[in-house]
Amino acid sequence: MLSRIQSISLSNVSRGAAFYSQPASTFTATSKHQIIIRKLSTESPAVPRKHVNGTAVVFLNMGGPSKISEVYDFLLRLFSDGEIIPLGRFQSTIAKFIAYRRTPTIEHHYEEIGGGSPIRKWSEYQNAEACKILDKLSPSTAPHKPFIGFRYANPLMRNTYQDILDQGITRAVAFSQYPQYSVSTAASSFNELKALQKELDPEGSIEWSSIERWPTHPGLVKAFANHIKDTLAKFPEEVRHEVVIVFSAHSIPLDFVNGGDTYPAEVASTVHAVMQELEFSNPYRLAWQSQVGPKAWLGPKTDKTVATLEAKEDTKGIVLVPIAFTSDHIETLHELDIELVETLKRPELVKRAESLNGDPVFIEALADIVATHLDPATHDPNGTKAIKSGANIKPYKIKVQ
């Protein structure tokens, strides 16, 4: 499964998250798992400069192949990245071998979900709609122009950066589409952006600012809660309150957890906020998917959690909620909808909450996050939004020998 191939990239990581002139954060990991995190900023530049041609709003994510023909290139880019998957001096050769061997299996998985990943489609739609709202919310920074910057699939961040330069845009917001920050996801995208800035824009003609985390934004929470309510409504009313809600997030190696990665806590904060919105109407669990390899990973596993619940005679139903994903992709459409369901003896008990995708409540939340970031004096004068959304979570330094 593609998610498991991607997970391999989490095993040995050395990457940073600083890419603009204001204070930022960096992440490095040695073979002994020494982690250093410095100050991270999600604030707009303190001294604004005059900008032209509006504001670029850049959605950052790993991406996925939109077509079957893109699978090999996607895998090759992934395994060629020595920062994420260090394979030594034969990196290029080994990456080609792995990509060649894995491509047929992954192509089949994408065929089973419609011929490609929908992550580009949903990202482009979400960003375009959010920018329309932003033009009204923040006219001083308009027009807002949507861009997508993927790590391993089209549109690649390198091409997006050049496109922004070619359009003469001088202000850009790098907006992580991982609501919960992790050194294994968001930091990777920011590290690439920093490198591209040095290569393509050494004079700093584009002034960048970042939105790196937003795990408890009220709009995000409301959208998840609405989708859960809609799914619960599919169960008979007399048992609806007994249905167990299982939140599922992509797991990370315990090395990262022990090293101070805030991701597990941020995912848990999202879950708790959603359950508060639901007034704790149902029992719930948090589980983790996509573990791979011999290393210890964060658990419990999603499939094991669901299997345990399914085996109980008094289980009336299960609602699966992909809580760390903002749209459908291989982890939801294949890993949960196909692979997990195929292992169940009573699949009729399990219903998955629809992913956020084109939800207008979610898109309004995206616009609000960017508007608050660009013009906090107008949209968040006392700083309460930044606190409620989780954007003000502070980094720290930690060493793990």
Side-chain angles (χ1 to χ4, degrees), residues 24-272:
S25 66
T26 58
F27 167 83
T28 59
T30 68
S31 59
K32 293 184 179 180
H33 312 294
Q34 174 178 305
I35 298 176
I36 301 174
I37 302 177
R38 292 200 293 270
K39 183 178 180 182
L40 181 150
S41 172
T42 55
E43 298 177 355
S44 294
V47 181
R49 74 191 199 198
K50 186 176 181 180
H51 294 287
V52 296
N53 299 325
T55 303
V57 179
V58 186
F59 278 17
L60 301 181
N61 210 320
M62 281 191 176
S66 299
K67 301 181 291 184
I68 299 297
S69 60
E70 296 178 355
V71 170
Y72 174 78
D73 288 339
F74 172 79
L75 295 178
L76 182 60
R77 292 186 189 107
L78 175 65
F79 287 105
S80 296
D81 188 349
E83 233 182 344
I84 296 177
I85 309 176
L87 301 174
R89 58 176 179 166
F90 299 110
Q91 180 95 30
S92 177
T93 301
I94 297 174
K96 291 177 182 178
F97 174 76
I98 297 174
Y100 175 79
R101 289 289 300 271
R102 296 297 297 162
T103 291
T105 299
I106 305 308
E107 285 181 339
H108 178 65
H109 288 167
Y110 277 110
E111 287 171 354
E112 291 184 297
I113 64 169
S117 172
I119 192 171
R120 177 175 182 173
K121 177 190 75 172
W122 286 123
S123 296
E124 290 177 338
Y125 177 80
Q126 292 167 346
N127 201 353
E129 293 300 306
C131 282
K132 292 177 185 178
I133 300 173
L134 270 169
D135 287 344
K136 299 177 182 178
L137 289 178
S138 184
S140 64
T141 54
H144 301 88
K145 301 181 180 181
F147 293 87
I148 307 299
F150 285 156
R151 289 284 281 119
Y152 306 117
N154 295 320
L156 295 169
M157 187 59 218
R158 169 179 290 277
N159 298 333
T160 295
Y161 202 122
Q162 188 61 57
D163 193 12
I164 296 171
L165 286 171
D166 292 344
Q167 292 189 36
I169 301 171
T170 59
R171 171 172 34 207
V173 178
F175 189 1
S176 171
Q177 291 307 290
Y178 306 102
Q180 305 92 1
Y181 182 91
S182 174
V183 295
S184 63
T185 52
S188 174
S189 292
F190 290 124
N191 184 60
E192 181 193 30
L193 189 49
K194 177 186 175 183
L196 288 172
Q197 184 185 45
K198 290 180 178 179
E199 177 186 350
L200 302 177
D201 187 23
E203 300 301 319
S205 60
I206 300 174
E207 184 174 31
W208 288 93
S209 62
S210 69
I211 301 170
E212 297 171 333
R213 47 160 61 80
W214 36 288
T216 52
H217 186 278
L220 174 72
V221 171
K222 182 71 173 178
F224 274 127
N226 288 345
H227 286 215
I228 293 170
K229 290 177 183 178
D230 290 343
T231 310
L232 285 170
K234 298 177 182 179
F235 290 90
E237 186 175 0
E238 61 271 17
V239 300
R240 194 171 298 160
H241 66 286
E242 298 180 64
V243 173
V244 182
I245 302 170
V246 177
F247 296 92
S248 183
H250 202 298
S251 185
I252 59 174
L254 284 181
D255 286 346
F256 288 170
V257 179
N258 295 333
D261 196 333
T262 59
Y263 174 72
E266 293 188 26
V267 172
S269 73
T270 308
V271 170
H272 190 265

